[in-house]
Amino acid sequence: MALQQTIDRTTTRDTDTVDEITRRSGRGLWRRFRRHRLSLIGMAILGLIAFGSIFAPWISFHDPNFINLDKIKEAPSLTHYLGTDAAGSDVWARLLYGSRITLVIAAVGLLIGVVIGTLIGMLSGYYGGWIDNVLMRFTELIMTFPTLFALIILVSILGQTVFNIMWIMGILGWTGIARLVRGQVLAIREMDYVAAAGAIGASDRRILFGHILPAAMPYVAVAGTLGLASFILIEAALNFLGLGVHIPTPTWGNMMKGAQNIHTIQNEPWLWVPPGLAIALTVLAVNFVGDGLRDALDPRIQID
Amino acid sequence: MGAYLIRRLAMFIPMLIGITVITFVIANLAPGDPVTALISPEDQLREEDLERMRRALGLDRPIPVRYLAWVRELVTGNFGFSYYTKRPVIDTITPRILPTLELTGIALVLSLAVGVVFGTISALKQYSFWDYALSVLSLVGLSIPTFFFGLVALLIFGWLWPVLPVYGMQSFNEDLSLIGKIVDNLKHTILPASILSIDLVATNTRYARTAMLEVLGSDYIRTARSKGLSERIVFGRHGLRNALLPIITITSLRLPLLLGGAVVIEIVFSWPGLGQQLVDAIHWRDYPVLMALVLFTSTLVLASNLLADVLYAYVDPRIRYGEAS
């Protein structure tokens, strides 16, 4: 006990380096993250949504795509908790099954974006010079295209399928992560252990993936979490406009598509309020978690 | 400042070329030839004439040559002909530009004003109730989809409490005076522009708070205070100005998102701008119009980024006097 305290005292004396090391290694990240109450609430909400998404068949007793023209736009009742939509399908079931498509598109799209962004950011930051110049100008070029414009057009040209939406979102949405990773790699590259790895003859690939990537990983995690929030929103907007996944496949966005007239907005709130709240709640939870991660890691990081 | 600006300007041209290359690639993915689309559909042409025109336009040439031919037409203002209206694309798009610029411009100004005020309050009263409330509120604002806000606004102002118009950008009232028309138009702008700005207000609040905290903790603020300057001068002349610097950059980076948000807002509020044109053109598979929209919006973003850089150089004395790049 006493020894532990001594160690603590001596090791924390040089606070800057210790902070730097724990921050880079991600150790202590969880401890600081836990202190952030909102992010714990966010985790709880996400757990609940994941539960509903995974166990959808056991929580709803209707087929989400079952069309029943005798039961169009019925108000919520004990058989249909959230009523029925314009095709007579159960809204509660569509909400649960819709979470699957919505979250899978956003998550896979994000993953593609994270991989591209991390690779480009690492190469750019590590090699510098003309490679950096070319890659960063290319990144800025992609950034000038309004994402939703480009996404809508590419998806409509190549076909409104789940698969297309995922990879197109990925190839459009990596720029923020690339810039963040590049900045971090520029700093990590100068650290002693990287120089040491170079001195013992480690190859570029080994230094990049074995030494630099792990140190940049916490930053990728923060940017990825906050990126997930914007991916869900963009995907929801695409589907809301009716330019995403085709009906009858339910997504939270396309469930609200039918609500673009004042009659529905006034008289059939069960058609658009539940999916709208589901999107808002999910994105809020993701943002809480991302914010907590960022504060635990380094409150100064800015992601564009 | 001169060298800095010249370097920035020099970047503008290659970026513009990059935009046209990417647009051309997308255009080639679309069914129909981008150069064929340049020929007016109203011209009744014989097959050999068409063939000659194709050759004149370089359609039998390799792709890079066709790209150059396409760019040459762009430079002369020929953006092709709409598949749907059969009229030049440029005539279809031009009337849509001003409504979108008005909508996004007002949203931008709103987000800057409100965001900076909120961020400043947050920073000056750090860790207070207001700081906490504003940071949670800005997270909530960032998380609720724009179209959900829009639908709720339609519910409230279109039905429950109809004090503000929720449809289009002007009333169907011919006998308004010029002033009356402007007031009428501004009333129509209030809801769509403020809902469009929510997202940017939230980000600006957060960035303004961070920037302000950083500035308030800096040495020159302590110096200003110890010189005995009043809080107002310390804050107004030394604090706010420096805190605004990062906001300029952040705002210019968020412009593409603002334009994307405008698509959704224009649909919800039936605002006759570029976003509505985009959705219409998608439904009609009107590829020449779509390509022109991509070109126009991305060039707009590029130009705004350049403007932001110029503004930045002007505001930041370190760049103005050529100290740093």
Side-chain angles (χ1 to χ4, degrees):
Chain A
M1 191 65 187
L3 178 69
Q4 187 57 41
Q5 275 174 356
T6 329
I7 291 172
D8 280 346
R9 223 174 294 131
T10 46
T11 49
T12 49
R13 189 162 296 150
D14 198 357
T15 39
D16 273 358
T17 32
V18 170
D19 261 9
E20 187 72 2
I21 290 164
T22 48
R23 196 191 287 160
R24 295 277 177 211
S25 67
R27 233 181 299 139
L29 193 63
W30 171 242
R31 187 167 43 80
R32 268 170 290 151
F33 175 73
R34 247 181 3 205
R35 279 207 299 257
H36 208 275
R37 214 178 320 144
L38 283 180
S39 48
L40 288 184
I41 297 176
M43 292 285 267
I45 296 174
L46 286 183
L48 211 63
I49 289 163
F51 180 83
S53 184
I54 294 165
F55 296 104
W58 290 277
I59 315 175
S60 71
F61 307 102
H62 297 274
D63 176 351
N65 297 333
F66 182 73
I67 294 173
N68 185 347
L69 297 180
D70 293 334
K71 282 187 159 190
I72 284 172
K73 294 186 177 177
E74 276 190 2
S77 63
L78 279 176
T79 34
H80 297 287
Y81 305 138
L82 290 177
T84 59
D85 67 6
S89 307
D90 184 59
V91 173
W92 171 240
R94 290 182 71 75
L95 195 67
L96 289 173
Y97 284 92
S99 71
R100 293 180 170 185
I101 316 279
T102 306
L103 297 177
V104 163
I105 290 179
V108 176
L110 179 79
L111 200 67
I112 296 172
V114 164
V115 170
I116 300 175
T118 308
L119 274 178
I120 290 190
M122 282 208 310
L123 294 178
S124 204
Y126 184 69
Y127 288 108
W130 68 268
I131 295 182
D132 181 34
N133 219 334
V134 168
L135 289 177
M136 282 302 109
R137 295 299 87 75
F138 180 64
T139 309
E140 280 160 23
L141 181 61
I142 298 294
M143 284 169 77
T144 61
F145 288 92
T147 315
L148 196 59
F149 270 76
L151 178 68
I152 287 175
I153 291 174
L154 280 170
V155 168
S156 86
I157 287 177
L158 298 169
Q160 294 173 231
T161 65
V162 171
F163 181 72
N164 279 343
I165 297 171
M166 285 191 302
W167 72 260
I168 294 170
M169 283 184 75
I171 60 161
L172 289 173
W174 52 269
T175 52
I177 289 178
R179 283 157 60 99
L180 177 81
V181 169
R182 172 180 173 272
Q184 291 307 318
V185 171
L186 281 178
I188 298 166
R189 192 179 63 170
E190 301 304 324
M191 298 186 87
D192 287 343
Y193 77 93
V194 175
I200 59 167
S203 66
D204 275 1
R205 183 157 36 141
R206 194 182 159 83
I207 294 177
L208 266 176
F209 291 95
H211 299 288
I212 289 183
L213 181 61
M217 227 36 217
Y219 291 84
V220 175
V222 173
T225 313
L226 295 172
L228 183 64
S230 57
F231 268 57
I232 296 175
L233 285 176
I234 288 175
E235 183 249 18
L238 179 76
N239 280 304
F240 172 74
L241 294 172
L243 305 172
V245 183
H246 283 297
I247 291 175
T249 309
T251 68
W252 288 342
N254 74 15
M255 288 174 72
M256 294 175 77
K257 188 191 165 243
Q260 285 177 28
N261 62 78
I262 195 76
H263 177 83
T264 306
I265 294 172
Q266 278 176 28
N267 303 315
E268 292 135 9
W270 63 89
L271 289 182
W272 62 277
V273 175
L277 287 181
I279 298 167
L281 202 64
T282 311
V283 176
L284 190 65
V286 172
N287 271 331
F288 278 163
V289 173
D291 228 39
L293 275 178
R294 178 188 19 212
D295 283 351
L297 182 66
D298 180 356
R300 285 164 307 176
I301 358 175
Q302 304 192 336
I303 297 145
D304 42 65
Chain B
M1 183 170 165
Y4 169 83
L5 283 186
I6 287 169
R7 223 178 13 247
R8 281 284 170 237
L9 272 172
M11 275 313 300
F12 188 78
I13 305 295
M15 292 294 266
L16 203 58
I17 295 173
I19 286 176
T20 60
V21 170
I22 291 187
T23 310
F24 186 75
V25 169
I26 299 176
N28 271 292
L29 292 173
D33 191 284
V35 185
T36 317
L38 296 176
I39 301 168
S40 169
E42 278 170 6
D43 296 344
Q44 297 292 323
L45 293 171
R46 281 174 296 145
E47 192 52 41
E48 59 261 38
D49 283 341
L50 249 155
E51 201 51 47
R52 208 180 53 235
M53 276 191 85
R54 284 218 177 96
R55 216 169 311 129
L57 285 168
L59 256 182
D60 52 342
R61 310 271 185 76
I63 287 206
V65 181
R66 275 168 40 194
Y67 164 75
L68 288 178
W70 178 69
V71 168
R72 202 167 49 221
E73 292 297 321
L74 287 186
V75 172
T76 62
N78 181 3
F79 285 75
F81 289 84
S82 159
Y83 288 173
Y84 183 76
T85 61
K86 314 287 185 205
R87 291 174 49 232
V89 168
I90 198 130
D91 295 353
T92 316
I93 295 213
T94 317
R96 304 293 192 130
I97 293 175
L98 218 55
T100 295
L101 285 187
E102 185 193 0
L103 180 66
T104 48
I106 292 179
L108 198 65
V109 171
L110 262 178
S111 72
L112 279 174
V114 180
V116 169
V117 169
F118 280 180
T120 309
I121 294 174
S122 249
L124 289 179
K125 311 256 179 246
Q126 198 187 3
Y127 302 130
S128 70
F129 166 76
W130 287 111
D131 182 24
Y132 194 71
L134 280 172
S135 64
V136 172
L137 259 182
S138 63
L139 264 185
V140 172
L142 270 180
S143 303
I144 297 177
T146 320
F147 53 86
F148 191 64
F149 275 125
L151 295 183
V152 172
L154 287 187
L155 178 69
I156 295 174
F157 294 100
W159 180 49
L160 294 173
W161 191 44
V163 289
L164 284 172
V166 293
Y167 185 90
M169 59 183 290
Q170 61 212 14
S171 310
F172 299 104
N173 187 349
E174 297 291 320
D175 22 273
L176 282 171
S177 63
L178 182 66
I179 309 248
K181 272 187 180 151
I182 293 173
V183 171
D184 178 56
N185 172 248
L186 285 179
K187 266 166 85 178
H188 279 80
T189 325
I190 296 175
L191 278 180
S194 40
I195 290 174
L196 178 59
S197 74
I198 290 175
D199 177 69
L200 210 56
V201 166
T203 32
N204 278 345
T205 302
R206 295 160 65 94
Y207 284 117
R209 176 182 185 273
T210 318
M212 195 58 84
L213 281 177
E214 205 146 291
V215 166
L216 289 177
S218 63
D219 287 342
Y220 57 82
I221 290 291
R222 198 176 329 139
T223 311
R225 282 205 175 118
S226 60
K227 277 198 297 190
L229 295 178
S230 71
E231 263 316 292
R232 169 181 283 176
I233 292 185
V234 168
F235 174 73
R237 188 169 299 164
H238 298 272
L240 196 59
R241 280 195 184 185
N242 283 296
L244 282 178
L245 280 177
I247 302 290
I248 297 176
T249 315
I250 294 300
T251 305
S252 83
L253 283 174
R254 307 283 296 188
L255 277 180
L257 277 176
L258 192 66
L259 282 169
V263 179
V264 174
I265 288 295
E266 286 180 11
I267 293 297
V268 171
F269 290 97
S270 315
W271 191 267
L274 294 168
Q276 221 179 53
Q277 176 80 67
L278 172 79
V279 176
D280 289 346
I282 292 276
H283 287 308
W284 299 326
R285 305 275 142 187
D286 201 343
Y287 295 112
V289 170
L290 292 177
M291 292 313 120
L293 282 170
V294 175
L295 268 181
F296 180 77
T297 49
S298 47
T299 309
L300 186 68
V301 171
L302 188 65
S304 319
N305 288 350
L306 182 73
L307 190 70
D309 280 342
V310 173
L311 203 64
Y312 198 107
Y314 180 74
V315 182
D316 190 344
R318 282 168 302 190
I319 297 178
R320 208 187 319 156
Y321 298 117
E323 189 186 304
S325 53

